[in-house]
Amino acid sequence: MLSPALDTFLAEARPTPFLVLDPGVVAERYAELRVAFPQAELLYAVKACPEPEVLRRLVALGCGFDVAGAEEIALCLAAGADPGTLCHGNPIRGPGAAARAAERGVHRFVTDSAEDLALLPAGAQVLVRVVVVDEGSATPFLGKFGALPAEAVRLARGAAGVAFHAGSQQVRPEAFAAGARTALRVAGAAGIRRPVLDAGGGLPVRYRTDVPPPEAYAAALDEAVGAAVAAGDVDGARLVLEPGRALVAEAGVLRAGVLRVSRRPGIDHRRWVYLDVGRYQGLAETEGEAIDYPVRVPGRDGPPGPVVLAGPTCDGDDVLYRRRPYALPADLAAGDVVDLLAAGAYTSSYAAVGFNGLPPLTVHVL
Ligand SMILES: *Cc1c(COP(=O)(O)O)cnc(C)c1O
């Protein structure tokens, strides 16, 4: 099921740990989203995987970018992006940041507060982020972003449109529909007849369980826009999506080495498998066991038995999975390698610079 390029690369032994990325898979996912959302403007959320080769590939395909600050703007421009295709989506900016972005040609900003709105340059295209219910997301925002509708209406007077984000790895298309409906009501109340509707990121990826296809989210958004038009809130909407995870996750495989397999009498009936990569070398999304990467063990075919998967550092939080059931071959041993699949999103960009002396994750781009 991996791309031929990934298969070929992984057939050879190399020092672990590393992430290998196939930008060809990113291009395939982009093409799929183009088909599922033919009318939408697609902005890749750079933070999911800021590798220059991934950005260059997306520029070549005509994709725009959701950026969080000066560093991500610089990465996109270095990859050849037109600043007009960038949207400064992170409403946490600090004095001067929006003006500096505008100097570099970025004119689209998402805001969610009067304090931030006051800092946006004159002539900016403003989208107001509305807080929405993100139940169904593996990593909910818990209210960190967005304004409640009444406040959002005040902020949105004179704005170009509205934005929301239903939470990353959002497995409920209805969450997109409900978010869009709320956001379009805000747009209507602010007098924006044909708003930009930025539906954010959140399109899910298949890790160990099936997720609805992009078409289900497209249908949910269509229905919400139709309902908003029928209710007289707006005359239509110009859809923008900011996929991060959905474009890059399946392009990456994280190969880890097994440092130790331990029986721990009296502590746990399961084997503990300690890997050479953990929470601090790229597997940050195992916090709360939010994301459950599929795991395979090349070259071992013993009967699977339950394991706890742990990282290499001295930190007690550096345990990847102890609640979620994982089973690995009975003959697994120190020196083996373990592949974590669909690991292209939110891994390399999350690695610490040197916790416990361990380097950031090595990345190979095909
Ligand atoms: C992180 C982020 C995204 C991407 O989210 P995914 O769940 O990876 O698709 C999109 N928009 C904004 C504003 C974000 O912060």
Side-chain angles (χ1 to χ4, degrees), residues 156-193:
R157 302 215 179 271
V162 283
F164 71 93
H165 191 313
S168 200
Q169 185 68 9
Q170 173 54 263
V171 298
R172 294 173 51 242
E174 314 85 71
F176 274 61
R181 198 71 191 83
T182 302
L184 290 174
R185 249 184 236 117
V186 166
I192 313 170
R193 294 309 304 171

Side-chain angles (χ1 to χ4, degrees), residues 128-143:
V128 175
R129 181 156 165 183
V130 184
V131 68
V132 299
V133 177
D134 53 15
E135 187 196 330
S137 162
T139 58
F141 287 112
L142 307 172

Side-chain angles (χ1 to χ4, degrees), residues 318-338:
D318 191 13
V319 174
L320 308 179
Y321 304 111
R322 67 166 96 217
R323 290 197 316 273
R324 288 192 187 261
Y326 272 82
L328 294 182
D331 50 351
L332 184 75
D336 287 351
V337 296
V338 164

Side-chain angles (χ1 to χ4, degrees), residues 80-361:
D82 173 343
T85 67
L86 271 51
C87 176
H88 201 298
N90 181 2
I92 305 170
R93 265 176 282 261
R100 285 193 296 277
E103 274 164 29
R104 310 215 59 182
V106 179
H107 297 295
R108 236 185 315 181
F109 298 87
V110 177
T111 191
D112 66 355
S113 69
E115 295 76 13
D116 177 63
L117 182 60
L119 298 174
L120 297 185
Q125 193 194 96
V126 176
L127 307 177
V128 175
R129 181 156 165 183
V130 184
V131 68
V132 299
V133 177
D134 53 15
E135 187 196 330
S137 162
T139 58
F141 287 112
L142 307 172
K144 182 173 177 185
F145 299 101
L148 284 172
E151 170 69 358
V153 171
R154 282 190 286 275
L155 299 173
R157 302 215 179 271
V162 283
F164 71 93
H165 191 313
S168 200
Q169 185 68 9
Q170 173 54 263
V171 298
R172 294 173 51 242
E174 314 85 71
F176 274 61
R181 198 71 191 83
T182 302
L184 290 174
R185 249 184 236 117
V186 166
I192 313 170
R193 294 309 304 171
R194 198 168 285 277
V196 172
L197 173 63
D198 180 344
L203 293 176
V205 162
R206 185 184 199 291
Y207 289 103
R208 296 200 303 168
T209 43
D210 280 330
V211 296
E215 286 74 15
Y217 293 81
L221 287 170
D222 272 353
E223 218 178 281
V225 174
V229 170
D233 291 337
V234 295
D235 298 329
R238 287 175 289 151
L239 186 62
V240 173
L241 289 171
E242 301 172 348
R245 186 185 303 281
L247 281 175
V248 292
E250 286 157 324
V253 175
L254 198 159
R255 175 161 283 181
V258 176
L259 297 176
R260 178 150 73 89
V261 181
S262 272
R263 304 255 168 216
R264 306 192 65 206
I267 295 174
D268 204 309
H269 68 284
R270 300 167 292 184
R271 288 168 297 158
W272 277 56
V273 175
Y274 301 91
L275 303 177
D276 60 5
V277 61
R279 178 77 55 82
Y280 304 101
Q281 292 79 43
L283 297 175
E285 286 205 305
T286 59
E287 183 179 353
E289 308 196 12
I291 296 299
D292 62 333
Y293 300 99
V295 171
R296 68 172 194 183
V297 182
R300 291 283 185 193
D301 52 12
V307 296
V308 173
L309 275 170
T313 69
C314 303
D315 189 305
D317 283 334
D318 191 13
V319 174
L320 308 179
Y321 304 111
R322 67 166 96 217
R323 290 197 316 273
R324 288 192 187 261
Y326 272 82
L328 294 182
D331 50 351
L332 184 75
D336 287 351
V337 296
V338 164
D339 289 337
L340 290 88
L341 308 180
Y346 302 112
T347 45
S348 58
S349 55
Y350 262 148
V353 295
F355 183 50
N356 259 181
L358 298 171
L361 190 57

